[in-house]
Amino acid sequence: MLPELLATFKDDQQLLPAIVQDANSKEVLMLAWVNKEALEKTATTKQATFWSRSRKEIWVKGKTSGNQQEVISIKFDCDSDAFLFLVHSHGPACHTGESSCFHSEITL
Amino acid sequence: MLPELLATFKDDQQLLPAIVQDANSKEVLMLAWVNKEALEKTATTKQATFWSRSRKEIWVKGKTSGNQQEVISIKFDCDSDAFLFLVHSHGPACHTGESSCFHSEITL
């Protein structure tokens, strides 16, 4: 299954969105981006791993902060162009200290 | 709040990811894309509205299928470049008939 999914990336540079959701609370924690390498590393190490668009490098979530995300399950959507990582999070997902990056809301 | 968020779009064409989550069950239903117009329509009509990348047009979710998504809350992340719509979904989110587009899983 993983090889087939990796083959759907157009090239090594293509970035696809990965939603990170807490496996227990179901809170959506963050959205980040994966290239082929990041997805493969996530699947093989079970540590959430992304491509940092600002630093332009592979980013193992929590490697410096200690707030790792242990990946329990990787789902993908019907177009195979978006991923959903279900994780056990060690510490807050957001650099602000909030549990989720989605802590701001538009008043409707 | 909405005007400030709309101002973060680089131009009318820029697309940002919008995660759709069921407000009750917390299931992640789908990931779609919004431009400035789609986000504004979602906020003002409270009907999930996206930009269809395949059809290259504004896409009111469920307009043809009847599976609308009533938007309860719009959250945005710490970078203001991803959105989370909490919705009450009328019918399945996925065109396959599954409740969520994320119904396939990589075996870890």
Side-chain angles (χ1 to χ4, degrees):
Chain A
M1 187 62 91
L2 180 61
E4 288 89 332
L5 262 186
L6 294 175
T8 67
F9 282 82
K10 285 175 199 158
D11 54 42
D12 290 346
Q13 277 70 53
Q14 191 187 14
L15 298 181
L16 293 174
I19 303 160
V20 181
Q21 183 178 31
D22 188 288
N24 294 325
S25 70
K26 307 297 182 200
E27 185 179 23
V28 172
L29 301 177
M30 55 187 279
L31 182 141
W33 300 84
V34 289
N35 60 5
K36 198 188 285 194
E37 182 186 357
L39 182 67
E40 186 167 25
K41 281 188 190 294
T42 298
T44 52
T45 66
K46 301 184 188 175
Q47 292 290 318
T49 303
F50 308 105
W51 177 259
S52 167
R53 297 187 301 173
S54 55
R55 296 193 306 271
K56 301 191 193 334
E57 61 180 21
I58 287 286
W59 162 37
V60 180
K61 173 71 180 167
K63 196 171 182 186
T64 53
S65 69
N67 301 329
Q68 303 100 320
Q69 293 170 338
E70 183 192 350
V71 177
I72 305 304
S73 170
I74 298 176
K75 299 189 173 191
F76 55 96
D77 75 353
C78 50
D79 297 325
S80 302
D81 62 3
F83 301 97
L84 175 61
F85 295 173
L86 291 171
V87 306
H88 289 162
S89 190
H90 300 267
C94 191
H95 71 285
T96 63
E98 300 269 356
S99 61
S100 166
C101 292
F102 291 95
H103 55 265
S104 302
E105 188 170 350
I106 300 174
T107 306
L108 293 184
Chain B
M1 189 61 92
L2 181 61
E4 287 90 330
L5 263 187
L6 295 175
T8 66
F9 282 82
K10 284 176 198 157
D11 54 43
D12 290 346
Q13 278 70 52
Q14 191 188 15
L15 298 181
L16 293 174
I19 304 160
V20 182
Q21 184 178 29
D22 188 287
N24 295 325
S25 70
K26 307 299 181 198
E27 185 179 23
V28 173
L29 302 177
M30 56 187 280
L31 183 142
W33 299 84
V34 289
N35 60 5
K36 199 188 284 194
E37 183 186 356
L39 183 66
E40 187 167 24
K41 280 189 190 296
T42 299
T44 53
T45 65
K46 299 183 188 176
Q47 292 289 319
T49 304
F50 307 105
W51 177 258
S52 167
R53 296 186 301 174
S54 55
R55 297 194 305 274
K56 301 189 194 332
E57 61 182 20
I58 287 287
W59 164 37
V60 181
K61 173 70 182 167
K63 196 171 181 183
T64 52
S65 67
N67 302 329
Q68 302 100 322
Q69 294 170 337
E70 182 192 349
V71 178
I72 305 305
S73 169
I74 299 176
K75 298 189 175 193
F76 54 95
D77 76 353
C78 49
D79 297 325
S80 301
D81 61 4
F83 301 97
L84 175 62
F85 295 173
L86 291 171
V87 307
H88 289 161
S89 190
H90 301 267
C94 191
H95 72 284
T96 61
E98 299 270 357
S99 62
S100 165
C101 292
F102 292 95
H103 55 266
S104 302
E105 187 169 349
I106 302 173
T107 306
L108 291 184

